[in-house]
Amino acid sequence: MSRPDLIAIEHDDYHAEHVGQTADGKQFFLTTPFVPSSTGGGGEYIALYLFDTAGNLLEARIDELGQRATLDRAERRRLYEARLIELGEVTYQRINVAPFALERFGTTFGLVVRPPYDDEDVWAVEMQPGNYMAFFEPWDSGIYDT
């Protein structure tokens, strides 16, 4: 078992509903990361990640929406739809992207590699914040755990 170079994410009707390719060939992933309320208030976000054809992160557009308890759901939907529209014409399909991590709003975002804790554990890649998608070998399966 080894650290992954690329992770496949298969388009689906759940967390990977908005993954695919733009008309100019970029890969994209539009998602809604969160910091759980149990960690001191929590936070809701919209993240649009853009990747080149080789799967390298080009850009991360992240909107901070505030705490879940005071979230304006209509505004969240409006911002999410605006991010989707700014992509232009897209094809929803499987993407292959490299793990990445970046800091915004004092929080780590991305497809973050987690090495094994001990000899019994395995490598993982977790969608952060929120760890709402976790990928394991084989890295090209496109399947994730929630």
Side-chain angles (χ1 to χ4, degrees):
M1 305 243 259
S2 62
R3 176 187 169 92
D5 293 322
L6 291 174
I7 301 295
I9 304 174
E10 196 70 51
H11 171 257
D12 65 23
D13 293 329
Y14 193 43
H15 289 305
E17 178 181 15
H18 293 117
V19 301
Q21 188 174 40
T22 62
D24 65 358
K26 292 181 184 123
Q27 298 182 85
F28 73 90
F29 185 12
L30 179 62
T31 187
T32 54
F34 63 94
V35 173
S37 334
S38 60
T39 62
E44 297 287 324
Y45 305 90
I46 295 170
L48 174 58
Y49 301 117
L50 296 169
F51 306 88
D52 65 18
T53 56
N56 300 304
L57 182 69
L58 294 170
E59 185 179 355
R61 303 173 189 166
I62 303 174
D63 301 296
E64 184 178 30
L65 304 174
Q67 296 181 356
R68 183 171 287 176
T70 58
L71 183 65
D72 179 338
R73 295 195 184 283
E75 179 64 3
R76 176 186 188 200
R77 186 83 203 125
R78 186 194 70 73
L79 285 169
Y80 190 91
E81 292 297 324
R83 286 288 184 209
L84 197 54
I85 289 168
E86 69 189 44
L87 289 170
E89 189 173 326
V90 298
T91 303
Y92 295 112
Q93 64 185 41
R94 174 190 188 105
I95 61 174
N96 293 287
V97 298
F100 67 95
L102 55 98
E103 293 290 320
R104 299 274 172 84
F105 313 108
T107 301
T108 301
F109 286 82
L111 282 166
V112 181
V113 175
R114 182 188 49 80
Y117 293 119
D118 56 36
D119 291 341
E120 315 286 299
D121 198 15
V122 297
W123 285 89
V125 175
E126 301 168 342
M127 182 56 76
Q128 295 291 349
N131 190 13
Y132 54 100
M133 299 172 81
F135 298 86
F136 303 94
E137 286 192 277
W139 304 116
D140 62 354
S141 73
I143 298 170
Y144 59 90
D145 288 339
T146 57

mmCIF file of all heavy atoms in Angstrom, residues 10-35:
data_model
loop_
_atom_site.group_PDB
_atom_site.id
_atom_site.type_symbol
_atom_site.label_atom_id
_atom_site.label_comp_id
_atom_site.label_asym_id
_atom_site.label_seq_id
_atom_site.Cartn_x
_atom_site.Cartn_y
_atom_site.Cartn_z
ATOM 1 N N GLU A 10 -15.577 9.221 -9.178
ATOM 2 C CA GLU A 10 -16.631 8.873 -10.124
ATOM 3 C C GLU A 10 -17.830 9.788 -9.907
ATOM 4 O O GLU A 10 -18.272 9.974 -8.774
ATOM 5 C CB GLU A 10 -17.033 7.408 -9.906
ATOM 6 C CG GLU A 10 -17.824 6.805 -11.016
ATOM 7 C CD GLU A 10 -17.002 6.585 -12.272
ATOM 8 O OE1 GLU A 10 -15.927 5.984 -12.196
ATOM 9 O OE2 GLU A 10 -17.458 7.033 -13.346
ATOM 10 N N HIS A 11 -18.346 10.350 -10.974
ATOM 11 C CA HIS A 11 -19.552 11.178 -10.894
ATOM 12 C C HIS A 11 -20.697 10.318 -10.334
ATOM 13 O O HIS A 11 -20.871 9.165 -10.726
ATOM 14 C CB HIS A 11 -19.911 11.706 -12.289
ATOM 15 C CG HIS A 11 -21.235 12.368 -12.338
ATOM 16 N ND1 HIS A 11 -22.342 11.766 -12.871
ATOM 17 C CD2 HIS A 11 -21.633 13.576 -11.897
ATOM 18 C CE1 HIS A 11 -23.374 12.587 -12.764
ATOM 19 N NE2 HIS A 11 -22.961 13.691 -12.173
ATOM 20 N N ASP A 12 -21.467 10.889 -9.387
ATOM 21 C CA ASP A 12 -22.623 10.181 -8.835
ATOM 22 C C ASP A 12 -23.700 11.197 -8.465
ATOM 23 O O ASP A 12 -23.579 12.377 -8.772
ATOM 24 C CB ASP A 12 -22.218 9.304 -7.644
ATOM 25 C CG ASP A 12 -21.705 10.074 -6.435
ATOM 26 O OD1 ASP A 12 -22.022 11.272 -6.273
ATOM 27 O OD2 ASP A 12 -20.979 9.470 -5.614
ATOM 28 N N ASP A 13 -24.730 10.741 -7.799
ATOM 29 C CA ASP A 13 -25.835 11.621 -7.399
ATOM 30 C C ASP A 13 -25.756 12.029 -5.937
ATOM 31 O O ASP A 13 -26.756 12.469 -5.372
ATOM 32 C CB ASP A 13 -27.186 10.929 -7.660
ATOM 33 C CG ASP A 13 -27.448 10.744 -9.136
ATOM 34 O OD1 ASP A 13 -26.994 11.578 -9.930
ATOM 35 O OD2 ASP A 13 -28.105 9.747 -9.498
ATOM 36 N N TYR A 14 -24.586 11.903 -5.326
ATOM 37 C CA TYR A 14 -24.449 12.216 -3.908
ATOM 38 C C TYR A 14 -23.381 13.301 -3.734
ATOM 39 O O TYR A 14 -23.544 14.402 -4.219
ATOM 40 C CB TYR A 14 -24.148 10.925 -3.138
ATOM 41 C CG TYR A 14 -24.284 11.024 -1.653
ATOM 42 C CD1 TYR A 14 -25.354 11.689 -1.054
ATOM 43 C CD2 TYR A 14 -23.333 10.468 -0.814
ATOM 44 C CE1 TYR A 14 -25.472 11.791 0.333
ATOM 45 C CE2 TYR A 14 -23.446 10.554 0.566
ATOM 46 C CZ TYR A 14 -24.510 11.213 1.123
ATOM 47 O OH TYR A 14 -24.617 11.306 2.494
ATOM 48 N N HIS A 15 -22.285 13.005 -3.072
ATOM 49 C CA HIS A 15 -21.240 14.009 -2.846
ATOM 50 C C HIS A 15 -20.477 14.373 -4.122
ATOM 51 O O HIS A 15 -19.861 15.440 -4.185
ATOM 52 C CB HIS A 15 -20.243 13.540 -1.798
ATOM 53 C CG HIS A 15 -20.787 13.505 -0.410
ATOM 54 N ND1 HIS A 15 -21.369 14.590 0.198
ATOM 55 C CD2 HIS A 15 -20.839 12.499 0.508
ATOM 56 C CE1 HIS A 15 -21.761 14.271 1.415
ATOM 57 N NE2 HIS A 15 -21.448 13.003 1.623
ATOM 58 N N ALA A 16 -20.477 13.504 -5.117
ATOM 59 C CA ALA A 16 -19.744 13.765 -6.361
ATOM 60 C C ALA A 16 -20.706 14.104 -7.504
ATOM 61 O O ALA A 16 -20.457 13.773 -8.663
ATOM 62 C CB ALA A 16 -18.873 12.566 -6.710
ATOM 63 N N GLU A 17 -21.774 14.794 -7.185
ATOM 64 C CA GLU A 17 -22.773 15.168 -8.188
ATOM 65 C C GLU A 17 -22.202 16.149 -9.214
ATOM 66 O O GLU A 17 -22.518 16.084 -10.398
ATOM 67 C CB GLU A 17 -23.986 15.793 -7.500
ATOM 68 C CG GLU A 17 -25.059 16.252 -8.451
ATOM 69 C CD GLU A 17 -26.234 16.883 -7.757
ATOM 70 O OE1 GLU A 17 -26.139 17.233 -6.564
ATOM 71 O OE2 GLU A 17 -27.259 17.050 -8.431
ATOM 72 N N HIS A 18 -21.358 17.050 -8.758
ATOM 73 C CA HIS A 18 -20.815 18.073 -9.653
ATOM 74 C C HIS A 18 -19.311 17.896 -9.820
ATOM 75 O O HIS A 18 -18.508 18.693 -9.334
ATOM 76 C CB HIS A 18 -21.188 19.475 -9.153
ATOM 77 C CG HIS A 18 -22.656 19.720 -9.251
ATOM 78 N ND1 HIS A 18 -23.440 19.953 -8.158
ATOM 79 C CD2 HIS A 18 -23.484 19.713 -10.317
ATOM 80 C CE1 HIS A 18 -24.703 20.098 -8.546
ATOM 81 N NE2 HIS A 18 -24.745 19.955 -9.852
ATOM 82 N N VAL A 19 -18.940 16.820 -10.509
ATOM 83 C CA VAL A 19 -17.554 16.580 -10.922
ATOM 84 C C VAL A 19 -17.565 16.330 -12.416
ATOM 85 O O VAL A 19 -18.524 15.781 -12.956
ATOM 86 C CB VAL A 19 -16.887 15.389 -10.187
ATOM 87 C CG1 VAL A 19 -16.878 15.595 -8.699
ATOM 88 C CG2 VAL A 19 -17.521 14.077 -10.544
ATOM 89 N N GLY A 20 -16.515 16.782 -13.069
ATOM 90 C CA GLY A 20 -16.451 16.543 -14.501
ATOM 91 C C GLY A 20 -15.409 17.392 -15.178
ATOM 92 O O GLY A 20 -14.378 17.729 -14.593
ATOM 93 N N GLN A 21 -15.735 17.774 -16.416
ATOM 94 C CA GLN A 21 -14.786 18.508 -17.248
ATOM 95 C C GLN A 21 -15.476 19.731 -17.855
ATOM 96 O O GLN A 21 -16.627 19.658 -18.292
ATOM 97 C CB GLN A 21 -14.278 17.595 -18.357
ATOM 98 C CG GLN A 21 -13.166 18.176 -19.169
ATOM 99 C CD GLN A 21 -12.618 17.162 -20.146
ATOM 100 O OE1 GLN A 21 -13.357 16.395 -20.753
ATOM 101 N NE2 GLN A 21 -11.308 17.148 -20.292
ATOM 102 N N THR A 22 -14.744 20.837 -17.882
ATOM 103 C CA THR A 22 -15.239 22.060 -18.502
ATOM 104 C C THR A 22 -14.987 22.000 -20.014
ATOM 105 O O THR A 22 -14.227 21.145 -20.493
ATOM 106 C CB THR A 22 -14.539 23.297 -17.918
ATOM 107 O OG1 THR A 22 -13.140 23.213 -18.197
ATOM 108 C CG2 THR A 22 -14.771 23.412 -16.417
ATOM 109 N N ALA A 23 -15.590 22.920 -20.744
ATOM 110 C CA ALA A 23 -15.433 22.954 -22.200
ATOM 111 C C ALA A 23 -13.978 23.140 -22.620
ATOM 112 O O ALA A 23 -13.563 22.658 -23.673
ATOM 113 C CB ALA A 23 -16.303 24.054 -22.793
ATOM 114 N N ASP A 24 -13.173 23.823 -21.782
ATOM 115 C CA ASP A 24 -11.756 24.026 -22.127
ATOM 116 C C ASP A 24 -10.842 22.914 -21.606
ATOM 117 O O ASP A 24 -9.626 23.032 -21.644
ATOM 118 C CB ASP A 24 -11.268 25.400 -21.666
ATOM 119 C CG ASP A 24 -11.276 25.577 -20.159
ATOM 120 O OD1 ASP A 24 -11.699 24.651 -19.429
ATOM 121 O OD2 ASP A 24 -10.861 26.658 -19.691
ATOM 122 N N GLY A 25 -11.433 21.827 -21.102
ATOM 123 C CA GLY A 25 -10.651 20.652 -20.724
ATOM 124 C C GLY A 25 -10.229 20.564 -19.278
ATOM 125 O O GLY A 25 -9.615 19.579 -18.866
ATOM 126 N N LYS A 26 -10.541 21.571 -18.465
ATOM 127 C CA LYS A 26 -10.196 21.495 -17.041
ATOM 128 C C LYS A 26 -11.126 20.496 -16.345
ATOM 129 O O LYS A 26 -12.283 20.346 -16.712
ATOM 130 C CB LYS A 26 -10.337 22.858 -16.372
ATOM 131 C CG LYS A 26 -9.330 23.873 -16.829
ATOM 132 C CD LYS A 26 -9.532 25.181 -16.094
ATOM 133 C CE LYS A 26 -8.576 26.221 -16.633
ATOM 134 N NZ LYS A 26 -9.277 27.394 -17.118
ATOM 135 N N GLN A 27 -10.573 19.857 -15.333
ATOM 136 C CA GLN A 27 -11.397 19.018 -14.472
ATOM 137 C C GLN A 27 -11.888 19.889 -13.321
ATOM 138 O O GLN A 27 -11.202 20.818 -12.910
ATOM 139 C CB GLN A 27 -10.579 17.850 -13.936
ATOM 140 C CG GLN A 27 -10.061 16.931 -15.035
ATOM 141 C CD GLN A 27 -9.292 15.771 -14.454
ATOM 142 O OE1 GLN A 27 -9.874 14.761 -14.080
ATOM 143 N NE2 GLN A 27 -7.985 15.928 -14.352
ATOM 144 N N PHE A 28 -13.077 19.588 -12.807
ATOM 145 C CA PHE A 28 -13.613 20.389 -11.711
ATOM 146 C C PHE A 28 -14.332 19.511 -10.705
ATOM 147 O O PHE A 28 -14.760 18.394 -11.001
ATOM 148 C CB PHE A 28 -14.569 21.474 -12.235
ATOM 149 C CG PHE A 28 -15.896 20.930 -12.707
ATOM 150 C CD1 PHE A 28 -16.973 20.817 -11.837
ATOM 151 C CD2 PHE A 28 -16.054 20.519 -14.010
ATOM 152 C CE1 PHE A 28 -18.176 20.296 -12.267
ATOM 153 C CE2 PHE A 28 -17.258 20.003 -14.456
ATOM 154 C CZ PHE A 28 -18.326 19.896 -13.576
ATOM 155 N N PHE A 29 -14.456 20.072 -9.492
ATOM 156 C CA PHE A 29 -15.208 19.451 -8.413
ATOM 157 C C PHE A 29 -15.827 20.581 -7.603
ATOM 158 O O PHE A 29 -15.119 21.401 -7.018
ATOM 159 C CB PHE A 29 -14.283 18.597 -7.553
ATOM 160 C CG PHE A 29 -14.960 17.806 -6.464
ATOM 161 C CD1 PHE A 29 -16.328 17.649 -6.401
ATOM 162 C CD2 PHE A 29 -14.197 17.204 -5.487
ATOM 163 C CE1 PHE A 29 -16.934 16.909 -5.389
ATOM 164 C CE2 PHE A 29 -14.786 16.461 -4.462
ATOM 165 C CZ PHE A 29 -16.154 16.314 -4.428
ATOM 166 N N LEU A 30 -17.160 20.654 -7.604
ATOM 167 C CA LEU A 30 -17.900 21.627 -6.804
ATOM 168 C C LEU A 30 -18.498 20.870 -5.628
ATOM 169 O O LEU A 30 -19.207 19.880 -5.822
ATOM 170 C CB LEU A 30 -18.997 22.287 -7.641
ATOM 171 C CG LEU A 30 -19.864 23.318 -6.926
ATOM 172 C CD1 LEU A 30 -19.033 24.508 -6.428
ATOM 173 C CD2 LEU A 30 -20.982 23.798 -7.853
ATOM 174 N N THR A 31 -18.222 21.339 -4.421
ATOM 175 C CA THR A 31 -18.604 20.585 -3.235
ATOM 176 C C THR A 31 -18.902 21.511 -2.059
ATOM 177 O O THR A 31 -18.703 22.723 -2.159
ATOM 178 C CB THR A 31 -17.496 19.558 -2.887
ATOM 179 O OG1 THR A 31 -17.935 18.702 -1.836
ATOM 180 C CG2 THR A 31 -16.193 20.240 -2.527
ATOM 181 N N THR A 32 -19.373 20.943 -0.973
ATOM 182 C CA THR A 32 -19.787 21.723 0.200
ATOM 183 C C THR A 32 -19.101 21.218 1.470
ATOM 184 O O THR A 32 -19.707 20.536 2.290
ATOM 185 C CB THR A 32 -21.319 21.683 0.369
ATOM 186 O OG1 THR A 32 -21.743 20.319 0.396
ATOM 187 C CG2 THR A 32 -22.016 22.398 -0.766
ATOM 188 N N PRO A 33 -17.843 21.566 1.674
ATOM 189 C CA PRO A 33 -17.147 21.168 2.901
ATOM 190 C C PRO A 33 -17.740 21.859 4.121
ATOM 191 O O PRO A 33 -18.445 22.864 4.000
ATOM 192 C CB PRO A 33 -15.708 21.627 2.671
ATOM 193 C CG PRO A 33 -15.672 22.365 1.402
ATOM 194 C CD PRO A 33 -17.018 22.355 0.788
ATOM 195 N N PHE A 34 -17.423 21.303 5.286
ATOM 196 C CA PHE A 34 -17.955 21.866 6.531
ATOM 197 C C PHE A 34 -17.041 21.527 7.693
ATOM 198 O O PHE A 34 -16.312 20.547 7.661
ATOM 199 C CB PHE A 34 -19.359 21.332 6.820
ATOM 200 C CG PHE A 34 -19.383 19.838 7.039
ATOM 201 C CD1 PHE A 34 -19.301 19.299 8.320
ATOM 202 C CD2 PHE A 34 -19.452 18.969 5.966
ATOM 203 C CE1 PHE A 34 -19.298 17.927 8.519
ATOM 204 C CE2 PHE A 34 -19.448 17.596 6.152
ATOM 205 C CZ PHE A 34 -19.375 17.074 7.439
ATOM 206 N N VAL A 35 -17.084 22.376 8.703
ATOM 207 C CA VAL A 35 -16.437 22.086 9.978
ATOM 208 C C VAL A 35 -17.568 21.714 10.924
ATOM 209 O O VAL A 35 -18.514 22.485 11.094
ATOM 210 C CB VAL A 35 -15.653 23.311 10.513
ATOM 211 C CG1 VAL A 35 -15.138 23.041 11.916
ATOM 212 C CG2 VAL A 35 -14.528 23.676 9.569
#
